[in-house]
Amino acid sequence: MIKFGQSKLYRSNDYGKTFLDVTDLINNTFIRTEFGIAIGPENSGKVIMTGDVSGEEGARIFASADFGKTFTHHDLPFIPLIQITYNPRNADILLVISSHNQLWLSKDFGINWTKIHDMVCMVKWGLENSIFFTSHPNGSCIDRGMLELKRTTDYGKSIKTVANNIFSFGLGGRFLFASVMTGKGTLRTIHVSVDQGEVWNMAQLPPVGHEEFYSILAANDDMVFMHVDEPGDNGFGTIYVSDDRGLVYSKSLERHLYTTTGGDTDFTNVTSLRGVFITSTLAEDSSVQSVVSFDQGGEWVPLRKPDNSKCDVTAKDPEKCSLHIHAAYSTSMRLNVPMLPLSEPNAVGLIVAHGSVGDSISTMNPDVYVSDDGGYSWFKALKGPHHYSILDSGGLMVAVEHSPTELINQIKFSTDEGQCWGVYNFTKEPIYFTGLASEPGAHSMNVSLWGYRDSVISQYWVSFTIDFRELLTRDCKEDDYVQWLAHSDDISDPDDGCMLGYKEKFLRLRKDSVCWNGRRYEARPQPTPCLCTLDDYLCDFGYFRKENSSECLEQAELKGHDLEFCLHGEEEQLKTSGYRKIPGDKCEGGKMPKRKEIDLRTRCVSDIVGSEIQSPVLKSSSSSAIIITVTIVMLLSIAAGVLFIKKYVCGGRFLVHRYSVLQQHVEANGLDGVEGLDNVDEPLETNHAPNGKIQFHDDSDEDLLE
């Protein structure tokens, strides 16, 4: 496709206070809007812009190694199909798939390119400079389930096939996952490798068919959160959490809301406090309710009702209700929710989110709620929807009212974590406000506001940058901080605050201290180990917990049966009292339930992933998949002088939300195909990125693993 036109490029080196038109650096080229800007990893200073050659078929990149001060352009011997990706450990090494499904590599930051392989369907960087990709021996990516998974550790000089019959694959933490066709109709299972594909084991998870999918919600080197879709387009599934090998999974949350392949789940990793996750469940009457886990998926409970809020019309009992958080599902339903929940690792315990108070999520305009203790308690901070940002490691919060049809000239700010708010008029001429931006990491004191103004003949963009350093002029001192114990109501209680095996104390800014934390401020925890209790354990395979109970009970259909599974090609028997330690839990002594895996000295090799690959099979059905975060960078482009403004519209659809009591755990379904049975410390990183889809999925994990 031939394209004409140009993009305008602006650069600021003072946090957006001033901008310089540097369009001449890219020779007035039209930069692609779908994947035109690729930012280098960490603080590398690398930037690549992908553009079209005006009036011709072809592509050109503009590469900068000095944060956009200068660019050099290089014509590509191909047209990119996806965004160019950087080697996470060496930003000079680039990887991309072309429009003809060829895999290309550059070792010199885009100057020279080498074709590695033909007919490549998907590619990902692995550990230690390894590259994983799928290809089809017959030259087609359409025939999913017949792909080969290949690996190179020397940038294409040698390539090894590590698995066959692949539908899709993904990586999470140290785990490599492959979604594999079983040969039994359309069923797929998940295989896991922790040695980059040399040895595979089948995950103890239910299989999925053509219309179901898997999704890795979050993962690190210790464990995985896996969503497994339920049969049928019902919009929910079950969350499972893995052991430290990614093999044995425990049921964590049933009826987990996840409406489409690749998109609408409210699963949120609260990065400001260890072990905290928030998500939504879908009840049998189609109501949606938020739940929170403080122990990395061990138990899920409703969010506590804020003290300064009343229950809304969705509540059956006006005195008993809970808080419900608006996230990706709400935005996909076009509710008036301009921002998703926000937390920052350096702003300990702080969460900002839109929500409603009742028996379930409401379609009425949400308010902004804040938690300063990692989600245990909440209060209403602002009425109505707002854009918000956390600055100065939580020492400052800013917000702008979301009102697309009204002119705005005020920004609100708080120095006490949202309890009290001041107002600042940032312009005498109001603007139609469109967005708020601040430097990642919450260390900055600068915030930029974007919008536009109407004139008689046109509309034009405007930007304002506010430096709140002029407000917080005093540097914080030692007596401005107070000791705070995470996961605790009473810091003086010696038994309070234990979570995942240890306590963490932090120095946090006093709410009445108006001072500047500074860029060098870091929230350093002071850990103390705890004695082990049953709360430090998940229920093992074949066991479950009843509501409000720490005791793990054996599933009725598995009583009296030996539990056998396959590991590294050897059949093993599980001897358990029903508990296994939560991955990453660091408790010591105390209660330590017995658990042991006995090697039965029997080979158990499957050819599901290929005759050349050892593929041990767990004796219950298994499967899974992954979401890869797609980061969208906004690019200002000049095109026909037309400005498109996206509005959130309810569209006349009212969600009727009632909610029955949340079941933490019901008896598991019988396991089909199980031989020998009758009827049968590191923070988690999430790759999930809500994408706003609202249609139901129609094809497996395709979007989740790419």
Side-chain angles (χ1 to χ4, degrees):
M1 180 169 58
I2 300 175
K3 295 182 180 178
F4 297 90
Q6 68 179 48
S7 298
K8 299 288 286 185
L9 179 65
Y10 297 86
R11 183 178 183 274
S12 172
N13 58 8
D14 56 4
Y15 299 100
K17 295 176 183 178
T18 59
F19 280 87
L20 182 65
D21 186 340
V22 293
T23 307
D24 60 307
L25 295 179
I26 58 171
N27 299 335
N28 299 304
T29 304
F30 181 86
I31 301 299
R32 295 189 172 193
T33 55
E34 65 273 28
F35 51 80
I37 301 180
I39 308 297
E42 299 300 332
N43 200 31
S44 66
K46 302 291 179 69
V47 181
I48 294 176
M49 296 191 179
T50 304
D52 295 295
V53 180
S54 182
E56 302 177 17
E57 289 192 10
R60 175 178 296 163
I61 63 170
F62 295 86
S64 172
D66 54 9
F67 298 94
K69 290 181 182 178
T70 60
F71 284 88
T72 56
H73 73 269
H74 311 287
D75 288 338
L76 302 179
F78 54 85
I79 297 176
L81 179 66
I82 61 174
Q83 186 175 69
I84 294 172
T85 61
Y86 297 83
N87 181 333
R89 287 154 290 278
N90 185 347
D92 283 332
I93 303 176
L94 310 174
L95 200 61
V96 69
I97 298 177
S98 75
S99 58
H100 294 295
N101 290 99
Q102 299 167 327
L103 182 60
W104 291 81
L105 178 89
S106 173
K107 296 181 180 179
D108 51 14
F109 196 42
I111 298 174
N112 298 290
W113 292 85
T114 303
K115 186 175 71 171
I116 293 180
H117 204 279
D118 289 312
M119 211 52 244
V120 172
C121 306
M122 180 169 56
V123 63
K124 300 179 189 296
W125 285 104
L127 299 175
E128 298 177 358
N129 302 322
S130 60
I131 300 171
F132 291 90
F133 61 92
T134 51
S135 65
H136 198 292
N138 296 329
S140 172
C141 290
I142 298 175
D143 190 9
R144 306 293 290 271
M146 299 298 294
L147 303 179
E148 296 178 342
L149 178 59
K150 300 174 183 286
R151 183 192 71 211
T152 176
T153 57
D154 52 12
Y155 301 125
K157 292 180 181 178
S158 61
I159 297 174
K160 179 179 181 179
T161 299
V162 296
N164 298 313
N165 305 322
I166 300 300
F167 188 89
S168 54
F169 79 98
L171 297 104
R174 64 189 176 96
F175 304 105
L176 171 63
F177 295 90
S179 178
V180 183
M181 302 301 294
T182 65
K184 299 177 181 178
T186 61
L187 289 181
R188 301 187 312 284
T189 61
I190 286 295
H191 286 65
V192 185
S193 174
V194 293
D195 57 8
Q196 302 202 67
E198 293 296 327
V199 177
W200 293 88
N201 292 286
M202 188 181 289
Q204 175 260 309
L205 283 167
V208 298
H210 175 71
E211 294 186 350
E212 294 91 56
F213 62 92
Y214 299 99
S215 169
I216 293 238
L217 301 172
N220 66 4
D221 287 346
D222 291 326
M223 68 173 296
V224 177
F225 273 91
M226 183 79 72
H227 172 98
V228 181
D229 190 38
E230 292 290 321
D233 285 333
N234 47 32
F236 65 87
T238 301
I239 294 179
Y240 293 84
V241 292
S242 78
D243 64 1
D244 56 4
R245 300 165 301 185
L247 297 179
V248 179
Y249 287 76
S250 298
K251 190 178 290 186
S252 175
L253 179 66
E254 294 178 318
R255 301 195 67 89
H256 176 238
L257 177 70
Y258 203 143
T259 58
T260 67
T261 296
D264 304 328
T265 172
D266 289 340
F267 190 87
T268 302
N269 182 0
V270 176
T271 59
S272 60
L273 193 61
R274 175 178 56 94
V276 182
F277 295 85
I278 298 173
T279 193
S280 296
T281 55
L282 183 67
E284 294 182 1
D285 61 359
S286 297
S287 62
V288 177
Q289 185 181 32
S290 295
V291 289
V292 60
S293 174
F294 300 106
D295 58 358
Q296 211 154 273
E299 181 184 10
W300 296 86
V301 295
L303 279 74
R304 187 183 304 173
K305 173 184 171 293
D307 291 334
N308 63 343
S309 297
K310 296 181 179 180
C311 301
D312 62 24
V313 294
T314 65
K316 294 178 181 178
D317 186 338
E319 301 301 322
K320 295 180 180 179
C321 61
S322 57
L323 175 65
H324 305 278
I325 299 299
H326 287 282
Y329 177 70
S330 295
T331 59
S332 73
M333 297 302 293
R334 299 187 180 276
L335 301 185
N336 193 18
V337 180
M339 288 194 68
L340 301 181
L342 176 64
S343 61
E344 296 283 357
N346 219 39
V348 178
L350 196 59
I351 313 172
V352 191
H354 288 93
S356 58
V357 181
D359 284 350
S360 55
I361 288 178
S362 169
T363 58
M364 296 180 291
N365 267 357
D367 297 316
V368 175
Y369 292 86
V370 171
S371 173
D372 61 5
D373 56 8
Y376 284 93
S377 64
W378 298 79
F379 63 91
K380 184 165 75 173
L382 294 166
K383 183 173 178 58
H386 285 70
H387 293 255
Y388 40 72
S389 185
I390 298 173
L391 306 178
D392 193 34
S393 301
L396 180 67
M397 294 169 56
V398 295
V400 177
E401 187 175 350
H402 177 65
S403 183
T405 60
E406 296 181 9
L407 292 167
I408 296 293
N409 70 340
Q410 292 184 335
I411 184 171
K412 302 173 184 179
F413 61 91
S414 173
T415 59
D416 56 8
E417 298 180 338
Q419 294 187 346
C420 299
W421 294 84
V423 175
Y424 173 69
N425 293 331
F426 60 86
T427 179
K428 294 180 180 178
E429 299 179 50
I431 63 171
Y432 289 100
F433 172 77
T434 58
L436 191 69
S438 60
E439 182 183 333
H443 289 283
S444 175
M445 293 291 287
N446 295 274
V447 62
S448 296
L449 296 86
W450 297 88
Y452 68 96
R453 288 195 178 111
D454 273 324
S455 66
V456 177
I457 59 174
S458 66
Q459 295 172 327
Y460 59 96
W461 287 98
V462 291
S463 170
F464 297 89
T465 296
I466 303 169
D467 186 353
F468 281 94
R469 188 68 178 94
E470 298 180 9
L471 172 69
L472 302 180
T473 57
R474 183 176 66 86
D475 292 352
C476 295
K477 299 179 180 179
E478 185 176 345
D479 58 0
D480 287 306
Y481 297 92
V482 61
Q483 196 172 69
W484 181 73
L485 177 62
H487 297 286
S488 171
D489 290 327
D490 183 5
I491 194 171
S492 63
D493 185 349
D495 298 323
D496 201 20
C498 286
M499 184 58 63
L500 300 176
Y502 62 102
K503 300 181 181 183
E504 282 183 313
K505 291 182 180 180
F506 296 86
L507 286 178
R508 290 184 62 177
L509 194 63
R510 295 180 183 272
K511 287 185 170 55
D512 58 355
S513 290
V514 181
C515 60
W516 180 45
N517 277 317
R519 284 186 169 274
R520 295 184 179 180
Y521 172 82
E522 290 184 19
R524 293 190 179 93
Q526 302 169 17
T528 304
C530 299
L531 291 175
C532 295
T533 69
L534 292 183
D535 291 330
D536 295 294
Y537 293 84
L538 294 168
C539 291
D540 215 336
F541 177 66
Y543 289 75
F544 71 100
R545 275 190 173 111
K546 288 187 175 181
E547 282 187 69
N548 302 318
S549 173
S550 296
E551 184 182 3
C552 292
L553 304 176
E554 190 173 8
Q555 293 174 202
E557 66 271 22
L558 297 181
K559 284 186 177 180
H561 295 282
D562 291 333
L563 299 178
E564 297 175 3
F565 64 99
C566 224
L567 180 65
H568 304 309
E570 299 289 339
E571 189 170 315
E572 298 200 0
Q573 186 178 88
L574 178 64
K575 293 291 186 181
T576 177
S577 57
Y579 302 88
R580 63 180 175 86
K581 208 170 190 180
I582 298 173
D585 192 295
K586 295 179 173 58
C587 69
E588 301 173 355
K591 286 185 176 292
M592 303 184 72
K594 293 181 179 180
R595 185 183 195 274
K596 136 173 114 164
E597 294 168 6
I598 303 172
D599 187 352
L600 299 181
R601 302 297 177 185
T602 303
R603 296 289 294 171
C604 50
V605 178
S606 167
D607 62 356
I608 288 180
V609 293
S611 57
E612 298 178 358
I613 291 92
Q614 186 182 37
S615 181
V617 181
L618 181 67
K619 285 198 173 181
S620 66
S621 303
S622 314
S623 287
S624 71
I626 294 184
I627 295 181
I628 298 301
T629 301
V630 178
T631 304
I632 301 175
V633 180
M634 294 187 65
L635 179 66
L636 295 177
S637 295
I638 305 297
V642 180
L643 177 66
F644 293 92
I645 303 297
K646 181 178 180 181
K647 299 180 180 179
Y648 291 93
V649 182
C650 183
R653 181 172 182 179
F654 188 88
L655 304 179
V656 180
H657 294 304
R658 301 176 305 281
Y659 197 78
S660 57
V661 176
L662 172 69
Q663 278 192 299
Q664 290 297 331
H665 218 118
V666 298
E667 290 190 13
N669 295 326
L671 302 176
D672 296 329
V674 180
E675 297 178 10
L677 299 186
D678 298 328
N679 301 322
V680 336
D681 92 68
E682 176 186 5
L684 281 163
E685 295 181 358
T686 176
N687 287 325
H688 171 67
N691 61 9
K693 295 181 183 178
I694 61 172
Q695 75 276 13
F696 281 80
H697 55 79
D698 58 7
D699 188 26
S700 65
D701 16 290
E702 178 174 0
D703 292 337
L704 301 181
L705 295 185
E706 298 180 358

